[in-house]
Amino acid sequence: MQELKIFHEAIQNPGSVALKMKEKKRKTIGYLCSYAPEELIYAAGFHPMRLFSSKAEINLAESHLQAYCCSLVRGILEDSLSGKLDYLDGTVFPHTCDSIQRLSDIWRIKTKYEFFADVIMPAKLNTQSAKNYMRDVLIKFTTDLEKACGEKITRSALKKSIAKFNLIKTNLKKLYELRSQNPGILKGADIHAIVKGSMIMDRDQLVELLPAIVSKVSDVSALDQGKRLVLSGSICDSPDIYDIIEQAGGVVVGDDLCTGQRWFDGKIPENEEPMEALTTRYFERIVCPAKHSSTIARGENIVKLAKQTEADGVIFIILKFCDPHGFDYPYMKEFLDKEGIKNILIEIDDHSLNSGQLSTRLETFMHMI
Amino acid sequence: MNDKLVEKEKQKITSAKKMRDIMTTYYIDAMSAKENNKLVAWITSGGPVEPLIAMDIIPVYPENHGAMIGSSKMGEDLCMKAEDMGYSNDLCSYARTDISCAIVKGGPIGGLPEPDMLICCNNICGTVLKWYEIQARFFNVPLFIFDTPVCHTEFSPEIAKYVRTQIDEYIAFLEKVTKKSFDHDKMAEVGKISYQGQLLWQKVLNTTANRPSPMTAFDAFFFLALIVTLRGTMIAVDFYKELLLEMKERIKNGISIVPNEKYRLLWDNLPIWYQLKWLSSKFSDHDACLVADTYTSAWCSSLKYIDENDFLNSIAEGYTRIYLNIGVDQMADQVIEMIKFYNIDGFVMHSNRSCKPYSFGQLDIKRIVESKANIPVLMIEADMTDPRAFSQSQVETRIDAFMEIINQGK
Ligand code: SF4
Ligand code: SF4
Ligand code: SF4
């Protein structure tokens, strides 16, 4: 499929995407977390781009962040300090985990992109006052963006933006559904490229490409089957892992990842007041473990997801040194165990993936389920 | 007694015994809460405790418990028990010890009294949010989250409004759990007492600006327990009054805590609880006194925002703008102020793998301090409760080298 090539190229080289966007008079604003309100950034005339670590060796970041910081945060700081992100015009930091919180400080002090904003979201997402605060924060961010672009973000611009992102996210959702019905229509590494690319590429291009991919794969008839697996964790940005899973005899049928369903689930109602609708979406989305909606929300969600997708097992993929996910793992595991859903934990470090060991562990796991 | 021993006796801080007695009584009271028909709330160290005191609820601090576990060198075992339960050893060791302790009832006091409610204020970190969720599931009790958004650069009007609203929600929560109505007059009184206690604590800490210093940060780590656990009570006020007197007395009589105080150091981050004694004598052997630290001052650093006559309204800002909940650059500014105030010759930073919000950014603070205050900075890698992250020989070598540099610079 030729569309796939475009995605693979884009994720190889986000900088060239940013340069093309500049030609289209859209400056690029980067962010590291799925709580960044990309609809607002886009409506202000910027190009929102999720940042991923290039996984380059840590050198410069060493003198800012100790070795017990997760490789995503260290990796992105390294990229910035070594000039790999010079194509950025700005960055925005939604408040989530402690590591990103401090990265934001270091970034603000050290880096010199034109635009910088903290979007200090509430940590609890289950009270009216927290929702009011979330709205206030989004309004404040709107003002920051307006100052940067020199224009008001009109209601209709925001509505259009929301519709565009809805279209992108609905297509990703469809793609996931099709894959769940018929795993194998796309390789894991291809899906990874599509989802990751959807956070990086020109949104105008995405609204053309994604529906095309969806319609192409809809026609594919049943393909190879394997053990049905759901992934759960923060981000999973190692295409190798998908290959390893497939070689071990598994197929991914759903995920609870920030580079996956946690990011694109939850359509924003288009007939409501846009700011209100936006607030509600970010308030009600499936929570990140750095936030609180109830003490059992994520446990219930993973069980529901595993059942919906008729999964044979769940793979927890957690970045080493990640506090929020590390704390949630034991109870989520317990929820799955209670339902008799097999699961396994793999702890990864972006910089040193031990494929041999991982294959063996995953093969053993596949045999068990 | 020979002269040396007499000298040593004189150097001891006599209030220490009283403090130990107070803490024992406090824990006995907390342990027997059920028999006395009192409710127990677990609360984070930086949380707004005053409404609990006004409601006659006994506050219990898992973090203080963590410190006790660390000091009694029981951290490793309890951490490992948590790891067996699936908690990664990269997670905060206070959380790990508390989570396993709740189940095995271990530690120096056989576990904390069970909570009737949990109060979690995230002004210190995101860890407490997860940790209290875990305990809320385990004990199946109501959890109140007091959400204090981080002030990277400012305490914005949005934050102010949100936090202020939560004070009312907090009170409503307490009324619901206790089925009693909140007594605002009592609250006003408790607020005043809390303010007074914090002011006295600040004064106690300030006495170490004297040369030679009447106490060290190691003593402050110990005396801290009261301002954490009994903030808002007269017990804390009375005790700190006495302690302050003792310090003033020591200053008057020229009694120093380090016999030949030559160098004055500042400490950053949590104490290394299981190595306090060793570290203290290590520095003392070098004629160095750790006169102050960024940790114990956190319990009075936001005093400037608090109005004792309008306590409830002003604590929104007071509890939000504490040391760990501000930007790294502002933290560095505070460190530099302390360096000036206490006349510091060297800065010792504990890079604490348990505590990410305290430790990430330290390397930047280090550089700011080196360039602006022009003093040497030492960074020690450790963990406050889990001794597996500490290498004594390595730290010893580094302290020796550091003291050599300070000595040469003098
Ligand atoms: S896990 Fe949390 S911090 Fe990480 S990307 Fe997702 S929402 Fe953001
Ligand atoms: S992986 Fe974990 S620690 Fe790292 S940025 Fe995401 S939530 Fe934070
Ligand atoms: S040590 Fe740090 S991470 Fe642990 S509870 Fe205290 S502030 Fe939070």
Side-chain angles (χ1 to χ4, degrees):
Chain A
M1 216 187 297
Q2 81 206 51
E3 286 86 356
L4 287 177
K5 215 177 131 228
I6 307 177
F7 282 91
H8 279 286
E9 272 167 16
I11 66 169
Q12 289 299 323
N13 196 350
S16 71
V17 175
L19 287 182
K20 266 190 223 127
M21 294 314 295
K22 203 155 279 175
E23 283 160 24
K24 288 182 73 179
K25 299 267 171 304
R26 265 189 196 270
K27 291 182 172 179
T28 297
I29 291 192
Y31 49 89
L32 300 75
C33 167
S34 63
Y35 273 96
E38 35 184 14
E39 295 84 356
L40 271 179
I41 300 172
Y42 183 86
F46 295 107
H47 174 63
M49 186 187 278
R50 175 102 186 241
L51 302 177
F52 295 87
S53 160
S54 74
K55 305 183 179 75
E57 199 192 321
I58 301 293
N59 258 317
L60 300 165
E62 197 78 60
S63 50
H64 296 276
L65 287 166
Q66 291 93 323
Y68 49 89
C69 175
C70 85
S71 54
L72 177 72
V73 166
R74 289 227 303 170
I76 291 177
L77 183 62
E78 180 69 31
D79 288 347
S80 170
L81 296 175
S82 63
K84 281 204 180 74
L85 302 180
D86 283 353
Y87 59 79
L88 285 182
D89 298 289
T91 16
V92 45
F93 286 86
H95 184 264
T96 45
C97 68
D98 292 340
S99 307
I100 294 187
Q101 172 181 318
R102 287 302 177 220
L103 177 68
S104 148
D105 283 334
I106 296 169
W107 199 276
R108 175 170 49 80
I109 298 167
K110 272 278 140 196
T111 65
K112 301 240 152 20
Y113 308 108
E114 225 175 280
F115 179 81
F116 176 92
D118 283 307
V119 181
I120 310 164
M121 303 245 174
K124 67 174 171 187
L125 301 171
N126 60 351
T127 64
Q128 186 56 45
S129 65
K131 188 169 181 185
N132 295 343
Y133 172 67
M134 171 90 97
R135 186 188 308 108
D136 287 348
V137 167
L138 289 175
I139 291 171
K140 183 179 184 172
F141 182 49
T142 307
T143 322
D144 289 345
L145 286 167
E146 287 173 344
K147 256 189 232 143
C149 71
E151 266 172 62
K152 281 251 165 271
I153 301 177
T154 62
R155 199 167 156 273
S156 85
L158 183 55
K159 279 198 135 181
K160 265 191 216 145
S161 174
I162 288 176
K164 185 159 283 168
F165 283 87
N166 271 345
L167 188 72
I168 292 169
K169 291 177 177 177
T170 330
N171 274 287
L172 290 171
K173 207 176 152 92
K174 265 191 220 150
L175 196 64
Y176 264 50
E177 278 161 11
L178 289 169
R179 175 181 64 165
S180 175
Q181 285 156 19
N182 192 4
I185 49 171
L186 280 167
K187 286 269 163 224
D190 290 333
I191 292 251
H192 167 257
I194 293 171
V195 179
K196 184 172 175 181
S198 299
M199 304 176 200
I200 288 176
M201 289 158 57
D202 184 356
R203 304 311 194 272
D204 295 337
Q205 192 185 12
L206 286 171
V207 294
E208 309 284 329
L209 286 175
L210 289 172
I213 294 180
V214 167
S215 90
K216 278 191 186 166
V217 297
S218 310
D219 302 333
V220 181
S221 52
L223 282 160
D224 54 318
Q225 301 286 333
K227 295 283 166 61
R228 298 172 63 85
L229 302 168
V230 163
L231 306 183
S232 175
S234 54
I235 71 163
C236 183
D237 186 32
S238 300
D240 297 352
I241 292 187
Y242 295 97
D243 294 341
I244 295 171
I245 290 174
E246 282 159 12
Q247 275 153 22
V251 285
V252 177
V253 294
D255 73 41
D256 162 41
L257 298 174
C258 269
T259 43
Q261 283 176 257
R262 269 217 305 282
W263 162 60
F264 65 67
D265 264 354
K267 198 172 164 201
I268 303 176
E270 289 174 34
N271 50 2
E272 287 173 18
E273 195 48 47
M275 197 47 118
E276 200 53 41
L278 193 71
T279 308
T280 306
R281 153 65 174 73
Y282 282 95
F283 197 72
E284 289 176 358
R285 61 161 267 197
I286 303 163
V287 291
C288 156
K291 305 210 171 288
H292 172 90
S293 66
S294 86
T295 51
I296 51 169
R298 293 195 65 233
E300 285 179 339
N301 184 60
I302 191 70
V303 168
K304 197 174 101 197
L305 184 65
K307 285 187 174 166
Q308 259 171 13
T309 52
E310 294 169 22
D312 300 309
V314 171
I315 303 179
F316 288 98
I317 297 185
I318 297 184
L319 278 190
K320 181 144 178 70
F321 304 117
C322 171
D323 288 347
H325 286 276
F327 276 116
D328 263 3
Y329 162 70
Y331 108 86
M332 289 175 72
K333 173 182 171 49
E334 198 183 301
F335 267 55
L336 291 171
D337 287 347
K338 244 186 264 162
E339 298 287 332
I341 301 164
K342 292 269 189 304
N343 56 83
I344 185 174
L345 168 69
I346 52 179
E347 204 180 48
I348 53 169
D349 178 328
D350 257 358
H351 293 92
S352 56
L353 190 66
N354 184 338
S355 333
Q357 197 194 20
L358 191 57
S359 308
T360 321
R361 286 196 62 209
L362 287 178
E363 274 164 26
T364 320
F365 179 63
M366 291 326 162
H367 287 306
M368 266 166 49
I369 57 182
Chain B
M1 256 199 269
N2 62 28
D3 287 357
K4 228 178 165 182
L5 275 180
V6 174
E7 202 47 47
K8 254 211 147 126
E9 265 323 290
K10 248 181 35 197
Q11 266 161 13
K12 270 198 188 151
I13 300 171
T14 51
S15 304
K17 184 183 174 307
K18 178 146 194 202
M19 157 96 188
R20 246 178 234 117
D21 293 344
I22 294 175
M23 284 307 285
T24 308
T25 314
Y26 159 76
Y27 271 109
I28 292 173
D29 278 354
M31 293 294 190
S32 42
K34 289 250 145 48
E35 288 102 84
N36 299 325
N37 285 320
K38 283 202 174 184
L39 295 177
V40 170
W42 284 14
I43 181 167
T44 52
S45 63
V49 65
E50 292 82 0
L52 295 176
I53 309 270
M55 285 291 237
D56 211 18
I57 298 166
I58 301 186
V60 165
Y61 295 79
E63 290 155 76
N64 175 256
H65 185 219
M68 283 164 53
I69 291 171
S71 309
S72 46
K73 305 199 192 323
M74 298 169 109
E76 179 168 356
D77 175 56
L78 287 166
C79 281
M80 274 159 56
K81 290 203 164 85
E83 287 150 31
D84 290 342
M85 292 160 63
Y87 294 97
S88 157
N89 72 349
D90 298 322
L91 300 170
C92 164
S93 54
Y94 274 178
R96 269 181 291 149
T97 53
D98 184 62
I99 290 165
S100 65
C101 209
I103 295 172
V104 302
K105 298 270 173 218
I109 56 168
L112 290 175
E114 288 193 8
D116 298 291
M117 70 198 88
L118 300 163
I119 314 294
C120 171
C121 177
N122 59 356
N123 57 358
I124 45 174
C125 64
T127 284
V128 289
L129 187 69
K130 303 312 294 173
W131 172 3
Y132 277 59
E133 282 178 356
I134 291 165
Q135 298 301 31
R137 283 191 295 267
F138 181 72
F139 291 107
N140 195 20
V141 291
L143 163 66
F144 184 81
I145 293 166
F146 194 80
D147 185 12
T148 47
V150 56
C151 303
H152 284 289
T153 55
E154 54 162 359
F155 180 67
S156 68
E158 303 82 56
I159 296 179
K161 188 172 112 196
Y162 176 42
V163 180
R164 180 60 194 87
T165 315
Q166 290 178 79
I167 293 173
D168 296 331
E169 291 168 359
Y170 181 25
I171 290 171
F173 169 89
L174 295 179
E175 288 184 319
K176 198 171 154 213
V177 176
T178 57
K179 300 188 191 74
K180 276 193 241 158
S181 57
F182 191 74
D183 182 343
H184 282 270
D185 294 334
K186 177 112 188 271
M187 180 63 236
E189 199 184 307
V190 173
K192 282 205 172 80
I193 296 173
S194 167
Y195 182 86
Q196 233 185 318
Q198 295 179 59
L199 208 60
L200 281 161
W201 177 239
Q202 176 81 71
K203 284 187 179 156
V204 169
L205 294 178
N206 286 352
T207 60
T208 63
N210 189 71
R211 193 186 280 268
S213 175
M215 68 168 198
T216 71
F218 295 105
D219 301 304
F221 295 153
F222 172 71
F223 290 121
L224 169 76
L226 279 197
I227 196 66
V228 179
T229 54
L230 291 161
R231 187 165 73 246
T233 70
M234 280 312 286
I235 305 171
V237 170
D238 292 340
F239 176 78
Y240 288 128
K241 268 189 193 153
E242 270 180 48
L243 184 61
L244 183 61
L245 268 180
E246 187 181 351
M247 290 304 138
K248 285 187 172 159
E249 200 60 25
R250 288 168 73 92
I251 292 177
K252 208 173 83 197
N253 298 326
I255 302 175
S256 66
I257 191 80
V258 168
N260 309 299
E261 179 193 305
K262 252 200 227 148
Y263 314 109
R264 301 165 63 81
L265 307 177
L266 178 70
W267 176 271
D268 183 52
N269 212 309
L270 275 78
I272 303 173
W273 292 114
Y274 48 90
Q275 287 294 354
L276 285 188
K277 251 213 178 107
W278 179 77
L279 279 168
S280 156
S281 60
K282 184 76 217 159
F283 283 112
S284 174
D285 289 347
H286 281 288
D287 297 333
C289 179
L290 242 67
V291 296
D293 67 281
T294 58
Y295 177 64
T296 54
S297 53
W299 280 269
C300 49
S301 66
S302 57
L303 212 51
K304 51 180 176 279
Y305 307 116
I306 296 178
D307 177 353
E308 62 174 322
N309 295 315
D310 189 15
F311 193 77
L312 275 191
N313 281 315
S314 61
I315 56 169
E317 183 162 7
Y319 274 108
T320 307
R321 299 182 88 168
I322 66 150
Y323 187 70
L324 278 185
N325 212 38
I326 55 178
V328 163
D329 35 357
Q330 291 178 36
M331 290 165 87
D333 288 345
Q334 289 198 17
V335 168
I336 287 172
E337 263 175 47
M338 291 181 86
I339 290 172
K340 283 191 197 133
F341 182 80
Y342 290 103
N343 254 303
I344 298 295
D345 304 308
F347 187 28
V348 184
M349 302 183 96
H350 167 203
S351 166
N352 178 358
R353 76 194 293 288
S354 260
C355 190
K356 297 184 171 91
Y358 216 146
S359 303
F360 297 163
Q362 268 181 325
L363 289 157
D364 289 82
I365 295 177
K366 177 174 187 277
R367 269 187 301 275
I368 298 174
V369 166
E370 279 165 343
S371 76
K372 283 200 186 158
N374 205 15
I375 57 167
V377 182
L378 166 70
M379 199 171 265
I380 299 176
E381 299 282 336
D383 181 290
M384 76 269 178
T385 2
D386 189 341
R388 289 170 293 174
F390 183 83
S391 154
Q392 184 161 325
S393 58
Q394 205 176 46
V395 172
E396 178 153 34
T397 319
R398 306 207 46 207
I399 292 178
D400 291 343
F402 174 67
M403 292 313 304
E404 186 60 39
I405 294 172
I406 294 189
N407 185 23
Q408 282 165 8
K410 274 241 144 178

